[in-house]
Amino acid sequence: MKYAMTMDGKIACYTGDSKWVTGEESRAHVQTLRNHYKGIMAGIGTVLADDPMLNCRIEGGRDPIRIIADSHLRIPMDSQLVRTAGQQPLIVACLPDADEEKAAQLQEKGVEVLRIPGVTTADITEEQKEVISLPVLMKELGVRKIDGILLEGGGQLNESALQAGIVQRVYCYIAPKIFGGAQAKTPVEGQGLAKAADAWHFTRIGMQEFGQDILLEYERTKEN
């Protein structure tokens, strides 16, 4: 899991604007992570908000296989991801009953559509919804020899990944800025945990400086 946040823990302003949280040095380091990991994953919210490419911008670098968690196949056909599916692999994971016609259109563009069983979860309003099972998705990706994934999702997908127990390492970039705002986006959203005693625990394994930014690197503590 990788995210960049301000000193007050925001990944975007309340308007959604997030360009840029961190400086050029930090953003360049992110490209080394994209070069390192076999896959890169984001949620449909990130795709709709930012229309990302999710490629590696290092000369001679390796583009990761792009994976999008998109339960209901809302990914736009004219998105950068779909338009470049012939040049850089794109996997879109959806629920079993997702739109078959849309799936066929995506496949015609070179997109691999993976139908993944759903699980029921609750958001901050405690409203129940069905989303793809991330542990099942990880097994399917493992079959395809994708042995490491850089998660560049938003707060909703990050929370789902933590709940699913699939986060093994965290790259946390902190910028010397404050955005403020009760409605501003944070790295981990969703319903969250009810008790502090149930927190997901990590062990800090590294710290680096990139310009005025700091990168804290953590590994999941094995006993929880």
Side-chain angles (χ1 to χ4, degrees):
M1 177 188 292
K2 163 259 160 186
Y3 56 83
M5 69 179 190
T6 60
M7 292 161 55
D8 57 332
K10 308 299 183 182
I11 61 174
C13 297
Y14 76 93
T15 59
D17 183 58
S18 61
K19 293 196 171 19
W20 294 101
V21 175
T22 51
E24 291 184 9
E25 294 94 336
S26 292
R27 299 200 297 275
H29 184 259
V30 169
Q31 300 305 314
T32 69
L33 298 180
R34 291 185 178 186
N35 182 60
H36 173 73
Y37 285 96
K38 186 76 172 287
I40 185 170
M41 184 164 72
I44 186 59
T46 297
V47 175
L48 295 175
D50 300 335
D51 190 23
M53 270 283 288
L54 301 180
N55 60 338
C56 176
R57 302 186 186 99
I58 297 175
E59 186 175 353
R62 178 186 66 177
D63 284 330
I65 297 170
R66 301 170 296 182
I67 304 126
I68 304 300
D70 182 11
S71 297
H72 304 290
L73 288 184
R74 294 190 292 152
I75 187 169
M77 295 300 297
D78 63 349
S79 64
Q80 291 195 90
L81 293 170
V82 174
R83 287 191 284 109
T84 58
Q87 293 78 51
Q88 184 181 351
L90 174 63
I91 297 172
V92 176
C94 63
L95 291 170
D97 61 354
D99 189 337
E100 291 187 8
E101 183 178 347
K102 178 70 172 288
Q105 293 173 350
L106 290 169
Q107 289 165 337
E108 287 178 2
K109 296 291 186 180
V111 179
E112 181 177 3
V113 177
L114 274 184
R115 294 188 180 274
I116 302 296
V119 294
T120 301
T121 186
D123 60 19
I124 194 170
T125 66
E126 298 190 359
E127 179 182 352
Q128 298 290 311
K129 61 179 180 178
E130 189 178 20
V131 298
I132 63 172
S133 169
L134 292 178
V136 173
L137 174 59
M138 293 303 105
K139 290 179 181 178
E140 288 290 336
L141 296 175
V143 169
R144 289 159 175 76
K145 302 189 184 302
I146 300 174
D147 58 2
I149 296 170
L150 182 64
L151 177 60
E152 287 200 27
Q156 294 286 343
L157 184 57
N158 286 348
E159 197 247 3
S160 294
L162 287 164
Q163 293 281 10
I166 64 171
V167 177
Q168 297 175 315
R169 181 169 293 190
V170 173
Y171 299 93
C172 171
Y173 297 84
I174 303 175
K177 303 174 182 177
I178 292 177
F179 286 171
Q183 303 304 315
K185 297 288 187 180
T186 60
V188 181
E189 297 179 353
Q191 189 176 35
L193 299 174
K195 296 180 180 179
D198 295 332
W200 297 289
H201 288 269
F202 292 81
T203 300
R204 181 167 55 81
I205 60 171
M207 182 171 65
Q208 299 181 66
E209 295 184 19
F210 295 101
Q212 288 294 306
D213 302 330
I214 296 173
L215 168 62
L216 299 175
E217 190 174 346
Y218 299 89
E219 277 191 349
R220 183 72 183 270
T221 304
K222 289 182 171 56
E223 57 265 22
N224 65 81

